[in-house]
């Protein structure tokens, strides 16, 4: 039977490095993906993810299971992401979200040549463009709204847990999510219409 | 229920995380409000679109990079037990420097108040200074040199 997060973290506290390895394998991918969708940069996402695990390890001696481990973990991650976004905000403002990204960039549609004019390639291109548009819409949200949506959608956390991570009341969190989804609904309306 | 009051319940309704009482209220409102029905459909579509966003895998070097940072953390902390409280260590350093400086200073400064022992020593030193003859042992062998002393010194010599 798999050990719970609390049991594993208490193991880390007792000096069991194997417990830390299990936590790492359990939360490496969710953290990297959450941070990637927050900061939109793979290298930065990995760096921040490592920092999260480093801080968890650093705090192991003082760990007490007063809250859910995921609440603690994602609170560290969210704070690091919000700080990183604030620190690089001037660079974000310089790049226009409406411009077509250069080839090779994360959101760039794949380049097409003569050999790619097969139906499969066109379909792949459309899928990539849709993904780029969705990604841009998410990234256009405020940092806090983005964190709320990502935690709600991809981590499947309860509202009260997300509220604790974002340090707000549950009703404030629900209002934040409502406004975020309203914005996404407007931004992605053409794609929603295509799906009908 | 108004559309504004529905805001905090709508996503719970879309997510299926809503109490039975709230579910009844929401469904009653949706039956009468086309705008909110459209909103609910839009929220469900957005959740579907978010599913299209691909995830990423951590790079093969992720774990190695983390272990490196953990190892660097451990080596930085090996001496941390010596300095558990940096400010305390700084204060102790100042105290030590002050103690060494005070210890290296002379027992008294010229013109300052002296102890009786220091005073006697000082008087004897001045007497010796007033007897330049003692610097020259050849002169000592010739007692005639005592007649060369100034009169005040000659009297002191008789007292000795």
């Amino acid at each position: 039977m798999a050990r719970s997060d609390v049991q594993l973290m208490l193991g880390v506290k007792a000096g069991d490095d194997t417990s830390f390895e299990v936590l790492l394998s359990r939360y490496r991918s969710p953290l990297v993906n959450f941070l990637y969708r927050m900061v939109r940069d793979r290298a930065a996402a990995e760096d921040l993810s490592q920092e999260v695990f480093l801080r968890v390890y650093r705090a192991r001696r003082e760990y007490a299971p007063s809250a859910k481990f995921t609440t603690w973990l994602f609170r560290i991650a969210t704070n690091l992401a919000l700080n990183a976004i604030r620190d690089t905000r001037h660079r974000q403002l310089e790049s226009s979200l409406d411009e077509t990204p250069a080839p090779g960039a994360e959101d760039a549609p794949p380049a097409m040549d003569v050999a790619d004019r097969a139906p499969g390639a066109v379909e792949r291109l459309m899928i990539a463009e849709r993904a780029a548009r969705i990604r841009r819409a998410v990234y256009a949200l405020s940092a806090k709204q983005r964190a709320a949506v990502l935690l709600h959608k991809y981590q499947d956390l309860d509202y009260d847990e997300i509220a604790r991570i974002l340090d707000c009341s549950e009703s404030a969190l629900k209002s934040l999510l409502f406004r975020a989804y309203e914005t996404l609904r407007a931004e992605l309306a053409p794609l929603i219409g295509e799906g009908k | 229920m108004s559309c504004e009051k529905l805001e905090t319940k709508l996503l719970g309704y879309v997510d299926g995380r809503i109490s039975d009482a709230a579910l009844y209220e929401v469904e009653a409102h949706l039956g009468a409000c086309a705008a909110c029905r459209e909103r609910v459909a839009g929220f469900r579509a957005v959740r579907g679109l978010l599913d299209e966003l691909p995830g990423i895998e951590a790079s093969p070097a992720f774990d190695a990079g983390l272990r490196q940072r953990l190892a660097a953390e451990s080596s930085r902390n090996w001496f941390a037990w010596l300095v558990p409280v940096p400010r305390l260590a700084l204060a102790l350093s100042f105290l030590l420097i002050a103690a060494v400086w005070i210890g290296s200073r002379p027992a008294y400064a010229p013109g300052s108040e002296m102890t009786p022992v220091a005073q006697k020593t000082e008087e004897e030193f001045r007497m010796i200074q007033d007897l330049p003859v003692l610097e020259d042992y050849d002169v000592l062998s010739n007692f005639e040199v005592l007649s060369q002393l100034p009169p005040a010194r000659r009297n002191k010599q008789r007292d000795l």
Side-chain angles (χ1 to χ4, degrees), chain A residues 21 28 33 37 42 46-47 50-51 58 130 134 152-154 156-157 159 174 177-178 182, chain B residues 7-8 11-12 15 17 39 47 49-53 55-59 62-63 67 69 73:
Chain A
E21 292 289 326
R28 182 199 301 111
N33 275 282
R37 289 171 176 138
R42 176 188 281 271
E46 290 208 355
D47 182 64
Q50 287 176 349
E51 182 64 27
R58 206 181 276 160
R130 277 173 69 90
I134 296 166
H152 170 251
K153 170 62 187 159
Y154 296 104
D156 203 27
L157 299 175
Y159 296 126
K174 286 177 179 175
L177 275 173
F178 178 87
E182 277 282 78
Chain B
E7 280 185 12
T8 56
L11 266 169
D15 292 342
R17 295 177 190 173
R39 186 173 281 118
R47 284 182 67 87
L49 288 174
L50 291 175
D51 281 331
E52 293 183 30
L53 275 189
I56 61 170
E57 288 298 322
S59 69
F62 182 90
D63 284 9
R67 289 195 188 96
R69 288 173 78 164
E73 179 95 353

Side-chain angles (χ1 to χ4, degrees), chain B residues 92-110:
Chain B
L92 288 173
S93 302
F94 282 139
L95 273 174
L96 185 64
I97 292 166
V100 169
W101 179 71
I102 290 168
S104 66
R105 291 184 64 199
Y108 61 88

Side-chain angles (χ1 to χ4, degrees), chain A residues 18-192:
Chain A
T18 310
S19 296
F20 186 75
E21 292 289 326
V22 175
L23 283 172
L24 174 60
S25 64
R26 193 176 285 184
Y27 289 105
R28 182 199 301 111
S29 188
L31 266 183
V32 168
N33 275 282
F34 169 70
L35 287 164
Y36 173 66
R37 289 171 176 138
M38 281 294 288
V39 301
R40 210 182 174 192
D41 182 287
R42 176 188 281 271
E46 290 208 355
D47 182 64
L48 291 172
S49 300
Q50 287 176 349
E51 182 64 27
V52 173
F53 283 113
L54 195 64
R55 292 189 183 203
V56 165
Y57 191 78
R58 206 181 276 160
R60 65 195 184 283
R61 292 195 184 95
E62 290 81 38
Y63 174 73
S66 55
K68 281 180 74 174
F69 177 78
T70 46
T71 304
W72 181 42
L73 188 77
F74 280 99
R75 185 154 191 178
I76 298 171
T78 303
N79 287 341
L80 286 175
L82 294 177
N83 288 343
I85 290 167
R86 184 197 60 222
D87 291 345
T88 58
R89 192 175 295 279
H90 65 281
R91 289 207 293 273
Q92 291 172 3
L93 288 173
E94 284 170 5
S95 66
S96 167
L97 293 169
D98 295 326
E99 287 173 358
T100 304
E106 293 279 352
D107 293 340
M112 245 174 65
D113 59 22
V114 175
D116 283 341
R117 287 182 195 159
V122 171
E123 191 178 331
R124 281 200 303 275
L125 180 62
M126 287 175 64
I127 290 170
E129 281 183 350
R130 277 173 69 90
R133 188 162 189 166
I134 296 166
R135 198 177 290 121
R136 281 199 297 272
V138 170
Y139 202 69
L141 296 171
S142 72
K144 206 164 180 181
Q145 282 182 342
R146 194 182 325 149
V149 168
L150 296 177
L151 291 168
H152 170 251
K153 170 62 187 159
Y154 296 104
Q155 306 309 324
D156 203 27
L157 299 175
D158 292 337
Y159 296 126
D160 68 322
E161 193 173 357
I162 301 173
R164 269 176 232 181
I165 290 169
L166 297 180
D167 196 25
C168 63
S169 67
E170 195 173 320
S171 62
L173 183 270
K174 286 177 179 175
S175 293
L176 189 75
L177 275 173
F178 178 87
R179 287 195 300 277
Y181 272 85
E182 277 282 78
T183 302
L184 288 173
R185 185 169 75 105
E187 283 292 317
L188 299 173
L191 298 186
I192 294 172

Side-chain angles (χ1 to χ4, degrees), chain B residues 52-91:
Chain B
E52 293 183 30
L53 275 189
I56 61 170
E57 288 298 322
S59 69
F62 182 90
D63 284 9
L66 175 60
R67 289 195 188 96
Q68 208 169 2
R69 288 173 78 164
L70 287 167
E73 179 95 353
S74 298
S75 65
R76 261 202 301 274
N77 287 341
W78 73 267
F79 59 83
W81 68 271
L82 287 173
V83 188
V85 184
R87 287 181 188 173
L88 178 61
L90 188 65

